[in-house]
Amino acid sequence: MLDAPNHSTARFITFEGGEGVGKSTQVKRLLERLAARDVSAVRTREPGGTPKAEAIRSYILQGRSESWGPGAEAVLFASARHDHVTQLIAPNLARGTWVISDRFCDSTRAYQGLTGGVDEKLIDALEDLALDGHVPDLTIVLDMDPETAFKRVEMRAVEDGLALTGDRFEKEELDWHRRLRDGFLNIARNNPDRCVVLSAEQPEEHLAEDIWRVVSERFPELGAGAGA
Ligand code: Z5A
């Protein structure tokens, strides 16, 4: 179980959950809310966030590491994460800038660990190495039925005029996505001080309100009863 760290002012918030649950949409909305309160914040994502980590991202998501197996992929995700933490997350927090990340270490635990079958001890060891003490202050787990989430992803592809090819994780079976959902819920249960689960099956605006309520209650420095 991860213990929450203590940064003096800047906070590190992560969003987790399955595909299409609305993480990117809500990361963007939270950034807007923070900007409206003059809170300096950066938006980032995993895998990725730095040039080296983005290179690992394309390698994995194009399916080029698939034959290596989930253990080796967990190592690749951790390598990308270590660069992301040391080159982007830690320096921003140190200069007082909040960091909001679309996915982080819980994705490795859920995808490669709980769903992919990689030993928990290896996941723990990689997490210690990659995070270097930079545990998120708050993790918002967006939860919804994977079938509904798939429909959203399909709709997005249609709106973007793209064929629904998907990356290698999006091609997994529905049953696998149900286990993944349970994996994220399990992580949240094991880390009650850090994680908050919110239903992603509500309109975008309502979910954004729920998230802001959680964030402003968790970080009272944002101002009492912080409204929009
Ligand atoms: N992965 C891993 O295996 N191990 C790791 O350690 C890490 C990652 C870090 C990264 O993919 C893949 O890497 C990921 C896990 C694996 N697997 N997959 N696939 P990614 O970053 O490309 O994809 P993603 O993280 O799954 O994000 P996504 O598919 O883009 O979904 P999202 O960010 O959660 O959703 P969204 O883009 O904000 O919204 C999806 C659509 O729904 C879009 O059209 C929105 O306009 C719409 N939307 C959003 N909210 C709503 C609401 N509330 N109602 C209705 N419609 C909505």
Side-chain angles (χ1 to χ4, degrees), residues 19-20 22-25 57 81 103 108 112 156 202:
E19 282 86 87
K23 297 177 297 300
S24 313
T25 306
R57 176 190 177 93
R81 182 161 305 127
R103 294 194 183 281
T108 304
Q112 283 67 50
R156 180 178 60 188
Q202 50 178 325

Side-chain angles (χ1 to χ4, degrees), residues 20-215:
V21 296
K23 297 177 297 300
S24 313
T25 306
Q26 294 300 332
V27 165
K28 191 166 156 273
R29 281 183 162 268
L30 179 56
L31 259 292
E32 288 164 3
R33 290 303 262 274
L34 291 170
R37 302 190 81 80
D38 289 329
V39 174
S40 157
V42 291
R43 171 186 179 180
T44 187
R45 68 171 182 183
E46 285 217 352
T50 63
K52 283 182 190 156
E54 289 290 334
I56 295 178
R57 176 190 177 93
S58 7
Y59 189 80
I60 297 173
L61 295 190
Q62 285 166 14
R64 292 163 71 194
S65 60
E66 199 167 2
S67 62
W68 297 14
E73 288 194 321
V75 174
L76 282 176
F77 280 113
S79 306
R81 182 161 305 127
H82 185 256
D83 194 62
H84 188 207
V85 167
T86 55
Q87 302 305 311
L88 187 143
I89 296 171
N92 273 291
L93 292 173
R95 71 174 77 98
T97 301
W98 290 43
V99 178
I100 317 297
S101 186
D102 188 339
R103 294 194 183 281
F104 193 58
C105 59
D106 297 318
S107 285
T108 304
R109 192 170 291 280
Y111 280 83
Q112 283 67 50
L114 298 168
T115 317
V118 176
D119 192 288
E120 198 181 353
K121 288 199 187 82
L122 176 60
I123 300 285
D124 288 344
L126 289 172
E127 196 169 273
D128 277 355
L129 232 138
L131 266 59
D132 197 24
H134 292 86
V135 177
D137 295 296
L138 171 67
T139 296
I140 295 179
V141 177
L142 298 184
D143 176 61
M144 72 186 287
D145 169 36
E147 226 168 327
T148 315
F150 276 168
K151 292 196 182 111
R152 284 189 187 171
V153 173
E154 271 174 20
M155 186 90 81
R156 180 178 60 188
V158 170
E159 281 167 10
D160 293 348
L162 300 170
L164 190 71
T165 50
D167 65 36
R168 44 163 299 228
F169 294 95
E170 282 169 350
K171 288 180 183 153
E172 301 284 354
E173 298 296 327
L174 195 58
D175 225 40
W176 185 90
H177 284 277
R178 293 204 173 102
R179 281 189 282 124
L180 183 72
R181 178 189 193 186
D182 289 342
F184 278 114
L185 293 176
N186 191 42
I187 291 169
R189 265 194 302 276
N190 290 335
N191 294 273
D193 293 342
R194 175 173 64 85
C195 299
V196 174
V197 179
L198 294 175
S199 167
E201 289 187 50
Q202 50 178 325
E204 195 181 309
E205 281 287 338
H206 294 193
L207 180 55
E209 285 302 323
D210 271 5
I211 291 170
W212 185 245
R213 181 182 44 76
V214 168
V215 170

